[in-house]
Amino acid sequence: RALGTSSRLLKRTMDVVVAVLALLILSPLFLLIGILIKLDSAGPVFFRQARIGSGGQRFEIVKFRTMERGADEMKGSVAHLNKHSGIDARMFKITDDPRVTHVGRVLRRFSLDELPQFVNVLLGNMSLVGPRPLIPSEDRHVEDWGRSRLDLRPGMTGPWQVMGRSEIPFEEMVRLDYLYVTNWSLWEDLRI
């Protein structure tokens, strides 16, 4: 079922209010994290990556950089460490990824690398709560009824993230996102 205009307005209003407050309150932490990233390794403070958003539109997600510069080019050399290798090639997750910096490990442990996504929320690319924002190579594996997951903006958090992240198989992640989108409620967003 499609969200009505009032539900979309309510969800968007909550997104904007919380994102503005979070960016204001967290700005000193952003500065500290930026300094630590620069002291720890060469490269930019922020990491940008193409993701697929609402309606299949591409956008750039913004995160604090947690890997060494050139990590994408090194992906082939660490592919054998992919915990989904031989099980489900659609997902690429490495436990104790050697490309992750010292500061990056701490940021990831506490999900602090995700905080810049409040900017994506303000820009309207993302929501506070929603389906997982997939990279294009993952998105091309979502078919048929699963495409409904794109009826809402992807979220900084959502069912997949709170129920187990990379421990959840790809099909289950798509199903969780589909159920979230088709049964959306403000109460569910608040609960997540």
Side-chain angles (χ1 to χ4, degrees):
R1 74 182 165 134
L3 251 60
T5 304
S6 61
S7 294
R8 284 187 185 273
L9 183 60
L10 179 63
K11 186 169 176 56
R12 181 68 185 141
T13 300
M14 187 172 74
D15 285 346
V16 170
V17 169
V18 172
V20 167
L21 289 173
L23 287 168
L24 288 172
I25 293 167
L26 297 173
S27 58
L29 180 61
F30 274 51
L31 180 61
L32 176 62
I33 290 172
I35 292 168
L36 292 173
I37 289 171
K38 286 306 247 181
L39 291 174
D40 185 45
S41 62
V45 170
F46 297 104
F47 169 74
R48 290 174 169 77
Q49 185 179 51
R51 298 292 176 109
I52 304 299
S54 180
Q57 296 295 313
R58 280 183 184 238
F59 72 97
E60 272 196 342
I61 199 169
V62 182
K63 296 183 174 191
F64 283 118
R65 181 177 58 82
T66 60
M67 291 190 172
E68 298 289 342
R69 188 167 44 182
D72 279 344
E73 291 78 29
M74 293 189 274
K75 193 172 180 179
S77 66
V78 295
H80 66 284
L81 300 172
N82 181 7
K83 67 190 233 174
H84 297 284
S85 183
I87 301 166
D88 190 348
R90 295 173 291 189
M91 297 183 84
F92 191 88
K93 300 289 179 200
I94 298 175
T95 305
D96 298 323
D97 194 321
R99 300 170 299 165
V100 177
T101 64
H102 298 295
V103 169
R105 289 192 198 294
V106 175
L107 296 178
R108 285 179 170 209
R109 181 177 300 126
F110 298 103
S111 297
L112 297 174
D113 59 317
E114 311 281 344
L115 293 177
Q117 292 172 38
F118 282 118
V119 173
N120 286 113
V121 172
L122 272 184
L123 293 173
N125 300 323
M126 293 180 71
S127 183
L128 296 171
V129 182
R132 179 173 177 242
L134 298 178
I135 59 176
S137 62
E138 293 171 333
D139 179 71
R140 73 170 190 254
H141 296 290
V142 180
E143 299 173 344
D144 304 324
W145 56 268
R147 300 305 297 168
S148 297
R149 66 187 301 285
L150 300 175
D151 289 349
L152 289 178
R153 289 181 181 100
M156 287 181 67
T157 191
W160 176 80
Q161 291 93 329
V162 299
M163 296 180 98
R165 289 188 169 200
S166 56
E167 302 305 317
I168 295 178
F170 190 83
E171 281 89 7
E172 181 67 10
M173 180 267 303
V174 172
R175 188 181 73 76
L176 287 169
D177 284 347
Y178 170 80
L179 290 172
Y180 166 80
V181 168
T182 56
N183 296 298
W184 181 85
S185 72
L186 180 60
W187 171 247
E188 184 65 10
D189 273 12
L190 294 172
R191 190 181 71 78
I192 289 175

